[in-house]
Amino acid sequence: MSKYLSDKYQRLEAYTPGEQPRDMRYVKLNTNESPYPPAPGVVEAAAKEAARLQLYSDPVCADLRDALAARYGVKRENVFVSNGSDDILNFAFMAFAGGGVPACFPEISYGFYPVYAALHGIEARPIPLKADFSIDPADYLGLGGFIAIANPNAPTGMALSRDQVEQIVAANPDHVVLIDEAYVDFGAESCLPLVEKYDNLLVVQTFSKSRGLAGARLGFAIAQAGVIADLERIKYSTNPYSVNRMTLAAGIASLQRDDYNADNCRRVMKTREATVARLKEMGFEVLPSLANFVFARKPGVDGEMLYRELKKRGVLVRHFSTPRIRDFLRITIGTDGEMLTLFTKLAEILKGE
């Protein structure tokens, strides 16, 4: 840190992304990427646009927004796209919290929420999870602030039903409720059908997980036109060209093959269920997950030790130092072969080999 950093950022604790080491070849189960490549035609579409990089991308993102609108049964004015869903989350904190409006979110959830609150000088109100690590909708009724909920939640993988989310949205009519559906395509219930009914609901999704485009950085949000216009105002006050030409083309091509993407989601879900069963056979406690990862711990075994020993053996998983969850590992669902490697290495560690 230099002496020139503004005082308001001196104590800022930045988000820590999943590690991407290059010292050896790893089975990478730590950042919730898809184990399968993008849909056929995606790479070709992006490569075609690469030949036109001397030109700025479309700041309106019209073609992609139209494709998303058609896919989800809304209008272009209901769709916002940007450089990954993280970008949209950041804009939402800027647009709908602060100035006396607190940001409310689960205490154990996506690590960027408290970072955005701190970055923008917003009062943060983290809300504890229940004893079983689930979110209690009753804790979010009439909060008097902006609300952000990952559904399914991260890192637990547990999800609220659409009816439970609707209770929260209906009980906070004067503030935006953001539902972060990064993992919704792996078995959870999307709240997109509620957008037409509630003008304070903002649903955010990403192409990173279920569509295998983590490296392209593309996210989108759907809401009523007024909320989308608010996000557009923030975007045009920061970086109008936030989505590059290649990513726009890749997104459109991916939507054209959502059958392929849905098949991959089903493959991940099938592997997830087999993973849960195997981990339980090995004595692990596994939280019920509707995401492309599981959250598991072995009673009596230190989570950080397991993480470090797996890394030594070429398997990366995610470990968090937060006291309540420090013995858990968040394990991305990979291919069947990758999961077999995980089980083999876990067995070696538990046997003391």
Side-chain angles (χ1 to χ4, degrees), residues 87-151:
D87 212 27
I88 302 173
L89 298 176
N90 186 29
F91 289 167
F93 272 74
M94 295 170 66
F96 307 119
V101 177
C104 312
F105 45 82
E107 186 175 39
I108 296 174
S109 190
Y110 186 31
F112 247 135
Y113 299 158
V115 172
Y116 289 140
L119 178 65
H120 301 301
I122 298 166
E123 177 192 351
R125 292 186 184 174
I127 299 172
L129 300 180
K130 294 169 64 176
D132 65 355
F133 295 98
S134 66
I135 292 172
D136 187 347
D139 292 337
Y140 294 82
L141 306 183
L143 286 182
F146 168 70
I147 297 172
I149 296 176
N151 194 48

Side-chain angles (χ1 to χ4, degrees), residues 26-27 102 104 123 126 132 174 179 221 231 257 265 277-278 293 337 347 352:
Y26 289 93
V27 172
C104 312
E123 177 192 351
D132 65 355
D174 297 324
I179 303 299
L231 293 174
R257 289 300 312 270
C265 288
R278 183 67 179 273
F293 58 85

